């Protein structure tokens, strides 16, 4: 077969499917958007799930892509096997309710075998299919597949959780007898066993069923919209068209390996070290370019692990200083035609990688120092596997280096013990990996609903007509209860882009309804969830729509402020800041963004002031619909993973230009003012700012700080009171906070105050706990005071005692201690509080019912209480009748009643 470069393979893939009326979909970011089930985009279908589960209908039901992917679940196999990679590209073609099995197989066969495209001899292709899927088998035979090259495999069924699933058909390439020295590869292949001769190059998934928990696969219902999802590894295609043994010998990797040879002085002969480094540097480059950072959590931790793993293997081939950043240029050169944005990102990525390498080399130095200390203090010439793992886990010091150093010193270390700790860590990591790609179930009625609906911007009421009523997954003509409706025109915004939906009223001649929520159907119509207040609704009813105007306006002000906030961050902090999520409603706005550094308190103030300055400039907020290319020429910001149509809505607020379908203020002056309420990290270099707007909100961060300060002062005063009380008891309690309630409020306190409040709250709570324990201990130390007041009532001993504002838990402890010294006794405390209220505690191990005594005492004091025969407590609002209470209890004790 003719040699083909990776760029040629990409072009053939795209050209073929575009000739079949597929829309080319650019690769989504590696960082999932609005999908917390995934840590990374790990399959070609992952960014398209919203189409497969029916939440949205694509502009073109036929799509083709080559998607960047990262998988790290089996990172240890990278460099060990010929095909394991952390970063790879998945070529795919997709049909959402358009063509199905027969056309998909025709396309696959034509693309692979036609000399106009890949030109693979058909005798080199082998195919597997699901045993009961006779349609697939017969179609492969019809297009010309050799029947001896078709094999049923029971595992050929794609299913992950509930939602769309179905049989699949895998295509394999025969690499020849040189990969089959024992001539047993075909038999292994038929049994779905590992072998090297027949390698999978393409999988076609026929998504036709709806998986349901507890239902046998044979009883799954068919999907209303059947889909095609295919995946072909670009790297695998490179291997077969460049006739090489592994991914690492393809033109995707060799230029990087060549440079690594020059830098290291070692020749590449298939060493694991080279493979790990060149694989990991590709993953790191693309992840950083897509906005991720090195961190100790989430995706950032994965990148840090990849880099440190690369550096450790780099040490094996002689590197003693940063080198990974020097390979970034090679990755960019190899991939720049497919991903031209890498060119501008290169200096930024190189800087991040170099700084991270420097940090790790320092860490390695610390690890070497710690290892020398372990050797120095070892008495038996052995370092434990636990210590070796701690060196690895804490300092990133590889076991191989530990073992090598120890051998030089005549020491040894247990690899088995080290491995035990390592496996425990791996198992924990695997449990924490988000790797599900299950999809929601399709809604047939919404998928098939095609009646158009127009959303009208800029107005708060309009006349419309009911076009559909949805009930139990069907359209009905009439309804007399809460339901979902579609209208031919609407001014109700449907929740999207982080902006909440509108609420309001819909009034017709025969009904009145409250709009509770609005969402977009798969085909784009606005579906209104309504609570029917009066009458009944019929299709064709004319009606008037009235928004909750104040809610809409406040939401619009917050949405426009999100745009200005992002612009402020990019102007004042870094152009590399990217939005990773947002939320706006009528009360607040929330903006999540990626940043390589945490914002200082002064910078937060600067950002807030920048937004308020834009508000004061009375900037007109303009919107216009433009072709996507023209909008991008204007410099309009777009979400990396968002799919845009040919015409887009552009929102301009001064120099802030974004693609946005939300609703906005007319003029920034209408916003009034903008105040940041909180700032926090969400991990993986993602930060969150929450803010609010309007005349009713504080103007500066100082006003936001004040409630924190007031609460801190209150807690400190409480702590001072507790410490004074302890001092009166002749006791001293430790309190690790400086009690200074006159500390002035400053802008810099905004973040400090929130964190300090949490800390002080914890410390005061701990102080209270220790004070109560101290009072209880002191009370028990003075038990004789209470023992001396015990009286003999004949058949029973009793203690009836009035106390003044004593800790109730202390009284319980005293009662428990005293009752344990009595063969048959009764204890009763009436504890009068400073505010005039009274508490009762009773303990009994005799005929006296503690619950009844306390209930009577509580009622006579204007309160209530009770309990069991042996213990009770209660209280009242006044202590005026305590003498009568004590007289009654003494009578019970004396009379034995």
């Amino acid at each position: 077969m003719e040699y083909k470069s990776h760029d040629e393979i990409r072009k053939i893939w795209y050209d073929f499917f575009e000739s079949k009326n597929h829309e080319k979909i650019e690769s989504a970011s590696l960082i999932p958007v609005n999908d917390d089930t995934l840590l990374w985009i790990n399959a070609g279908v992952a960014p398209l799930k919203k189409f497969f589960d029916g939440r949205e209908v694509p502009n073109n039901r036929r799509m083709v892509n080559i998607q960047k992917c990262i998988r790290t679940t089996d990172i240890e196999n990278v460099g060990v096997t010929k095909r394991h990679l952390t970063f790879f590209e998945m070529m795919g073609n997709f049909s959402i309710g358009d063509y199905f099995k027969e056309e998909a197989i025709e396309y696959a066969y034509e693309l692979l075998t036609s000399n106009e495209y890949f030109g693979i001899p058909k005798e080199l292709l082998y195919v597997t299919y699901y045993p009961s899927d006779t349609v697939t088998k017969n179609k492969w035979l019809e297009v010309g597949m050799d029947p001896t090259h078709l094999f049923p495999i029971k595992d050929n069924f794609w299913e992950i959780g509930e939602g769309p699933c179905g049989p699949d058909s895998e295509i394999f390439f025969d690499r020849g007898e040189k990969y089959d020295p024992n001539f047993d590869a075909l038999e292994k292949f038929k049994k779905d066993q590992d072998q090297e001769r027949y390698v999978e190059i393409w999988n076609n998934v026929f998504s036709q069923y709806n998986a349901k928990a507890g239902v046998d696969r044979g009883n799954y219902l068919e999907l209303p919209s059947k889909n095609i999802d295919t995946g072909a590894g670009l790297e695998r295609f490179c291997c077969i068209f460049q006739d090489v043994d592994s991914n690492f010998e393809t033109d995707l990797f060799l230029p990087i390996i060549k440079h690594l040879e020059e830098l290291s002085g070692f020749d590449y002969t298939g060493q694991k070290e080279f493979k790990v480094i060149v694989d990991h540097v590709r993953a790191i480059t693309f992840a950083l370019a897509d906005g991720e950072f090195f961190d100790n959590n989430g995706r950032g931790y994965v990148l840090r692990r990849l880099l440190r793993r690369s550096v450790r293997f780099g040490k094996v081939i002689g590197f003693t200083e940063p080198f990974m950043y020097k390979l970034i240029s090679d990755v960019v050169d190899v991939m720049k035609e497919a991903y031209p944005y890498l060119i501008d990102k290169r200096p930024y990525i190189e800087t991040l990688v170099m700084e991270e390498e420097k940090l790790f080399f320092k860490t390695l130095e610390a690890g070497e120092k710690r290892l020398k200390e372990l050797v120095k203090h070892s008495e038996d010439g052995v370092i434990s596997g636990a210590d070796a793992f701690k060196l690895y886990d804490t300092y990133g010091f590889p076991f191989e280096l530990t073992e090598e150093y120890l051998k030089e010193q005549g020491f040894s270390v247990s690899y088995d013990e080290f491995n035990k700790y390592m496996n425990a860590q791996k198992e924990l990591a695997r449990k924490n990996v988000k790797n599900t790609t299950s999809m929601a179930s399709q809604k047939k009625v919404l998928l098939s609903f095609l009646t158009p609906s127009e959303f009208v911007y800029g107005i708060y009421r309009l006349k419309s007509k009911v076009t559909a009523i949805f009930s139990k997954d069907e359209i009905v003509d009439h309804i007399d209860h809460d339901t979902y409706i579609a209208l031919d025109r609407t001014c109700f915004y449907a929740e999207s882009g982080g902006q909440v939906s509108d609420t309001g009223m819909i009034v017709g001649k025969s009904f009145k309804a409250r709009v509770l929520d609005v969402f977009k159907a798969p085909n784009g119509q606005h579906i209104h969830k309504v609570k029917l207040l009066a009458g009944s609704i019929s299709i064709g009813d004319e009606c008037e729509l009235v928004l909750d105007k104040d809610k809409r306006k406040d939401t619009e002000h917050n949405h426009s402020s999100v745009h200005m906030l992002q612009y402020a961050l990019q102007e004042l902090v870094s152009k590399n800041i990217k939005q990773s999520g947002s939320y706006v409603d009528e009360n607040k706005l929330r903006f999540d963004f990626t940043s390589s550094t945490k914002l200082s308190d002064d910078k937060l103030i600067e950002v807030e002031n920048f937004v308020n300055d834009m508000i004061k400039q009375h900037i007109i907020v303009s919107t216009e619909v433009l072709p996507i290319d023209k909008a991008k020429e204007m410099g309009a910001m777009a979400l990396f993973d968002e799919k845009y149509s040919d015409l887009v809505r552009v929102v301009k607020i001064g120099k802030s230009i974004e693609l946005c379908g939300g609703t906005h203020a007319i003029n920034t002056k209408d916003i009034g003012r903008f105040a940041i309420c909180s700032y926090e990290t969400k991990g993986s270099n993602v930060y969150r700012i929450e803010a609010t707007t309007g005349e009713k909100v504080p103007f500066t961060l100082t006003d936001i700080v004040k409630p924190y300060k007031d609460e801190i002062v209150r807690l400190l005063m409480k702590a001072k009171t507790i410490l004074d009380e302890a001092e009166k008891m002749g006791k001293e309690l430790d309190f690790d906070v400086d009690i200074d309630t006159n500390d002035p409020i400053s802008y810099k306190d905004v973040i400090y105050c929130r964190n300090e409040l949490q800390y002080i709250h914890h410390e005061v709570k701990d102080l209270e706990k220790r004070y109560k324990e101290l009072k209880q201990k002191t009370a028990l130390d003075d038990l004789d005071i209470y023992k001396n007041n015990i009286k003999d009532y004949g058949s029973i001993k009793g203690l009836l005692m009035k106390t003044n504002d004593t800790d109730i838990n202390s009284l319980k402890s005293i009662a428990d201690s005293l009752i344990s010294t009595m063969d048959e006794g009764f204890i009763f405390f009436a504890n009068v509080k400073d505010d005039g209220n009274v508490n009762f505690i009773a303990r009994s191990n005799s005929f006296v019912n503690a619950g009844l005594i306390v209930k009577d005492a509580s009622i006579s004091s204007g309160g209530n209480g009770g309990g069991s025969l042996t213990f009770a407590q209660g209280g009242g609002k006044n202590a005026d009748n305590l003498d009568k209470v004590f007289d009654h209890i003494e009578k019970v004790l004396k009379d034995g009643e």
Side-chain angles (χ1 to χ4, degrees):
M1 296 187 303
E2 183 182 345
Y3 176 94
K4 289 178 175 60
S5 70
H6 64 90
D7 283 325
E8 288 173 326
I9 293 170
R10 286 193 184 89
K11 186 176 187 306
I12 291 171
W13 184 269
Y14 278 133
D15 286 350
F16 174 81
F17 283 107
E18 286 184 292
S19 75
K20 305 299 183 183
N21 300 316
H22 287 61
E23 180 182 354
K24 179 179 177 181
I25 306 296
E26 296 295 340
S27 174
S29 167
L30 287 164
I31 302 170
V33 175
N34 298 324
D35 186 351
D36 59 4
T37 66
L38 294 174
L39 191 65
W40 300 99
I41 292 297
N42 60 5
V45 72
L48 307 178
K49 288 199 296 185
K50 60 188 177 183
F51 302 133
F52 277 80
D53 60 28
R55 282 174 288 155
E56 291 185 27
V57 172
N59 297 329
N60 185 336
R61 291 178 177 271
R62 297 180 172 213
M63 294 175 283
V64 57
N65 73 358
I66 301 178
Q67 175 61 44
K68 301 171 295 187
C69 302
I70 285 182
R71 291 181 191 171
T72 59
T73 50
D74 46 7
I75 188 174
E76 291 79 13
N77 285 326
V78 174
V80 176
T81 71
K82 297 175 181 179
R83 286 175 285 279
H84 267 96
L85 302 170
T86 53
F87 173 84
F88 58 95
E89 293 173 86
M90 188 62 70
M91 303 186 293
N93 63 290
F94 308 92
S95 167
I96 310 297
D98 189 53
Y99 64 84
F100 198 48
K101 290 181 185 178
E102 295 196 347
E103 294 92 334
I105 292 171
E106 288 174 1
Y107 292 157
Y109 189 78
E110 180 184 357
L111 174 59
L112 292 175
T113 62
S114 170
N115 290 327
E116 186 180 349
Y117 298 106
F118 286 124
I120 299 175
K122 68 176 185 179
E123 59 268 21
L124 297 182
L125 295 178
Y126 287 72
V127 172
T128 63
Y129 61 93
Y130 192 58
S132 63
D133 188 5
T134 55
V135 173
T136 293
K137 175 186 177 182
N138 292 336
K139 188 62 185 179
W140 278 118
L141 292 173
E142 180 186 320
V143 296
M145 183 61 65
D146 184 339
T148 65
H149 287 202
L150 274 171
F151 302 102
I153 300 290
K154 65 179 181 179
D155 288 336
N156 274 43
F157 197 95
W158 186 89
E159 179 180 356
I160 302 180
E162 291 193 345
C165 66
D168 61 70
S169 182
E170 296 175 333
I171 305 169
F172 293 77
F173 177 80
D174 179 4
R175 298 204 295 169
E177 292 183 357
K178 66 179 178 179
Y179 296 100
D180 186 15
N182 297 321
F183 300 100
D184 59 354
L186 186 60
E187 288 305 311
K188 288 182 176 179
F189 172 65
K190 291 178 184 178
K191 298 174 183 177
D192 201 19
Q193 296 175 353
D194 289 340
Q195 43 77 39
E196 286 294 321
R197 177 170 177 171
Y198 305 96
V199 295
E200 180 191 348
I201 59 171
W202 196 354
N203 187 18
N204 282 251
V205 177
F206 309 125
S207 188
Q208 68 183 100
Y209 300 109
N210 193 19
K212 195 79 174 174
V215 177
D216 290 337
R217 183 177 287 174
N219 295 323
Y220 286 165
L221 296 177
E222 293 219 349
L223 291 171
S225 174
K226 296 179 177 62
N227 306 319
I228 293 294
D229 159 24
T230 84
L234 173 67
E235 295 78 10
R236 298 278 182 96
F237 270 65
C238 287
C239 278
I240 66 173
F241 282 108
Q242 295 171 23
D243 192 24
V244 293
D245 186 25
S246 79
N247 294 331
F248 300 98
E249 278 79 56
T250 68
D251 62 344
L252 287 166
F253 292 86
L254 274 181
I256 314 171
I257 288 176
K258 293 294 183 184
H259 192 193
L260 189 57
E261 285 181 318
E262 295 172 11
L263 293 173
S264 67
F266 281 78
D267 290 331
Y268 172 66
T269 56
Q271 302 97 312
K272 176 182 177 181
E273 292 78 15
F274 278 81
K275 295 176 181 178
V276 169
I277 292 169
V278 297
D279 166 78
H280 289 5
V281 76
R282 282 167 28 104
I284 291 167
T285 299
F286 275 93
L288 293 177
D290 282 357
E292 195 47 66
F293 300 94
F294 296 106
D295 197 12
N296 287 327
N297 299 289
R299 287 182 294 271
Y301 174 74
V302 172
L303 292 190
R304 179 159 283 168
R305 184 184 177 201
L306 292 177
L307 183 130
R308 294 190 168 194
R309 195 165 184 261
S310 301
V311 170
R312 293 201 307 268
F313 280 107
K315 287 180 74 74
V316 177
I317 56 175
F319 289 106
T320 58
E321 59 184 28
F323 67 94
M324 285 283 287
Y325 75 96
K326 298 177 182 178
L327 301 175
I328 304 299
S329 60
D330 304 296
V331 178
V332 173
D333 286 343
V334 170
M335 307 296 271
K336 63 186 178 185
E337 185 171 333
Y339 305 98
Y341 67 87
L342 290 174
I343 297 170
D344 291 336
K345 292 280 186 179
R346 172 185 154 185
Y348 167 72
I349 298 169
E350 287 174 336
T351 300
L352 289 180
V353 172
M354 181 173 64
E355 292 303 317
E356 183 69 16
E357 281 191 276
K358 287 179 180 177
L359 176 65
F360 185 49
F361 270 102
K362 289 181 181 178
T363 302
L364 281 176
E365 289 177 12
E368 290 175 351
K369 182 178 179 181
R370 175 60 182 151
L371 180 56
K372 290 176 181 177
E373 290 175 358
L374 289 171
V375 168
K376 182 178 179 182
H377 294 100
S378 174
E379 296 179 355
D380 57 0
V382 176
I383 301 299
S384 71
D387 282 331
F389 177 75
K390 187 177 290 186
L391 282 168
Y392 168 82
D393 194 44
T394 304
Y395 300 99
F397 207 78
F399 179 82
E400 292 79 12
L401 289 182
T402 299
E403 187 177 41
E404 180 182 335
Y405 178 84
L406 292 176
K407 281 182 179 179
E408 293 174 359
Q409 306 298 318
F411 279 62
S412 63
V413 61
S414 169
Y415 177 74
D416 290 340
E417 187 183 355
F418 169 85
N419 218 29
K420 181 181 74 173
Y421 287 95
M422 176 65 82
N423 288 334
Q425 186 196 58
K426 289 178 186 176
E427 184 60 30
L428 181 62
R430 285 194 177 97
K431 287 179 180 178
N432 289 330
V433 167
K434 294 178 178 177
N435 207 33
T436 177
T437 56
S438 61
M439 302 178 189
S441 299
Q442 295 178 350
K443 295 292 184 185
K444 181 178 180 180
V445 66
L446 292 178
L447 281 167
S448 59
F449 180 59
L450 301 176
T451 304
S453 172
E454 178 190 2
F455 173 67
V456 184
Y457 284 97
I459 59 176
Y460 303 98
R461 63 191 303 156
L462 60 72
K463 294 187 183 299
S464 188
K465 185 169 65 175
V466 177
T467 57
I469 303 169
F470 304 95
S471 178
K472 296 181 180 178
D473 208 25
E474 65 178 355
I475 295 178
V476 297
D477 294 328
H478 181 84
I479 204 161
D480 60 0
H481 54 77
D482 299 350
T483 189
Y484 296 86
I485 64 174
L487 305 161
D488 65 341
R489 300 169 72 232
T490 183
C491 54
F492 283 92
Y493 184 80
E495 181 169 355
S496 61
Q499 179 178 332
V500 297
S501 66
D502 285 319
T503 55
M505 297 293 296
I506 301 180
V507 180
K509 289 182 180 180
S510 61
F511 74 92
K512 182 188 291 185
R514 176 77 181 162
V515 177
L516 304 177
D517 190 20
V518 189
F519 62 89
K520 288 183 180 179
N523 292 294
Q525 307 96 330
H526 288 208
I527 308 299
H528 306 71
K529 179 182 180 182
V530 298
K531 182 176 181 62
L532 193 59
L533 303 177
S536 60
I537 308 173
S538 299
I539 290 180
D541 280 352
E542 293 184 348
C543 52
E544 185 172 18
L545 284 54
V546 183
L547 299 183
D548 290 333
K549 186 175 179 180
D550 288 342
K551 176 186 175 183
R552 162 69 84 83
K553 280 185 169 293
D554 288 342
T555 302
E556 289 174 337
H557 297 164
N558 284 334
H559 197 158
S560 296
S561 296
V562 164
H563 284 224
M564 293 189 290
L565 173 59
Q566 177 165 232
Y567 179 65
L569 289 166
Q570 291 176 337
E571 288 295 302
L572 300 176
V573 182
S574 171
K575 295 290 185 184
N576 292 310
I577 279 180
K578 289 184 179 179
Q579 177 180 335
S580 63
S582 69
Y583 172 86
V584 290
D585 60 22
E586 71 275 24
N587 298 311
K588 65 178 182 295
L589 62 95
R590 186 177 70 219
F591 184 68
D592 295 347
F593 60 97
T594 57
S595 175
S596 58
T597 57
K598 185 177 180 180
L599 273 61
S600 68
D601 300 337
D602 286 338
K603 187 60 70 175
L604 275 176
I605 300 299
E606 194 178 348
V607 167
E608 183 186 73
N609 289 340
F610 189 99
V611 175
N612 277 309
D613 285 343
M614 291 184 72
I615 292 172
K616 292 175 186 177
Q617 291 171 31
H618 296 190
I619 302 169
I620 294 174
V621 180
S622 67
T623 61
E624 59 181 325
V625 176
L626 296 171
I628 182 71
D629 293 337
K630 186 173 180 180
K632 289 181 177 179
E633 286 175 13
M634 292 172 58
M637 277 191 296
L639 287 177
F640 194 91
D641 254 13
E642 196 68 30
K643 180 71 177 70
Y644 296 99
S645 59
D646 293 337
L647 292 176
V648 293
R649 188 165 180 265
V650 180
V651 177
K652 293 179 64 178
I653 310 176
K655 293 183 179 179
S656 166
I657 309 174
E658 293 193 39
L659 305 185
C660 179
T663 65
H664 287 271
I666 296 172
N667 190 300
T668 59
K669 70 179 181 181
D670 300 330
I671 297 171
R673 47 193 175 187
F674 169 88
I676 292 176
C677 302
S678 66
Y679 170 65
E680 62 180 330
T681 176
K682 305 302 292 180
S684 295
N685 288 99
V686 175
Y687 297 89
R688 170 172 293 174
I689 286 178
E690 289 196 4
T692 189
T693 62
E695 294 295 334
K696 63 184 179 296
V697 304
F699 182 66
T700 67
L701 285 172
T702 300
D703 298 314
I704 304 298
V705 169
K706 194 173 186 305
Y708 291 128
K709 281 287 190 177
D710 290 345
E711 180 63 8
I712 288 173
V713 169
R714 187 190 70 78
L715 288 169
L716 292 179
M717 292 300 293
K718 184 176 184 179
K720 188 174 186 304
T721 301
I722 293 173
L723 294 173
D724 289 344
E725 289 295 320
E727 189 176 351
K728 289 177 184 176
M729 295 166 57
K731 304 292 184 179
E732 186 176 338
L733 288 170
D734 293 329
F735 187 58
D736 229 7
V737 178
D738 181 23
I739 300 182
D740 178 9
T741 58
N742 297 311
D743 183 34
I745 300 170
S746 69
Y747 286 130
K748 287 190 175 182
D749 285 330
V750 60
I751 306 305
Y752 164 80
C753 272
R754 185 162 55 83
N755 295 334
E756 189 71 1
L757 174 58
Q758 293 173 351
Y759 170 68
I760 291 175
H761 183 272
H762 176 271
E763 290 298 305
V764 173
K765 190 174 181 181
D766 180 65
L767 179 66
E768 286 183 291
K769 179 182 175 184
R770 288 186 286 115
Y771 176 57
K772 287 179 181 178
E773 292 172 351
L774 176 64
K775 288 177 71 175
Q776 290 179 30
K777 183 176 183 301
T778 303
L780 292 174
D781 288 343
D782 297 332
L783 212 56
D784 288 344
I785 297 173
Y786 301 94
K787 286 181 178 178
N788 293 336
N789 284 281
I790 295 176
K791 293 182 180 180
D792 193 334
Y793 290 96
S795 62
I796 186 174
K797 289 184 178 181
L799 170 64
L800 310 180
M801 194 170 183
K802 175 182 173 183
T803 59
N804 292 311
D805 203 29
T806 304
D807 178 65
I808 201 73
N809 291 316
S810 297
L811 291 177
K812 290 178 184 178
S813 299
I814 292 167
D816 288 341
S817 296
L818 292 175
I819 202 74
S820 66
T821 65
M822 300 178 182
D823 293 330
E824 192 171 3
F826 179 77
I827 296 166
F828 180 84
F829 288 119
N831 184 45
V832 181
K833 309 288 285 183
D834 289 342
D835 58 8
N837 290 333
V838 60
N839 300 126
F840 301 114
I841 294 288
R843 196 78 167 81
S844 175
N845 64 355
S846 65
F847 63 85
V848 181
N849 188 319
L852 292 178
I853 293 291
V854 167
K855 187 173 183 66
D856 289 343
S858 299
I859 292 172
S860 68
S861 301
N864 207 344
S868 66
L869 290 170
T870 58
F871 175 77
Q873 67 181 66
K877 296 179 180 178
N878 66 74
D880 294 341
N881 294 326
L882 286 186
D883 289 342
K884 292 181 181 179
V885 169
F886 281 113
D887 288 344
H888 171 69
I889 298 173
E890 281 198 325
K891 186 175 185 303
V892 171
L893 297 181
K894 287 176 181 177
D895 295 346
E897 298 177 355

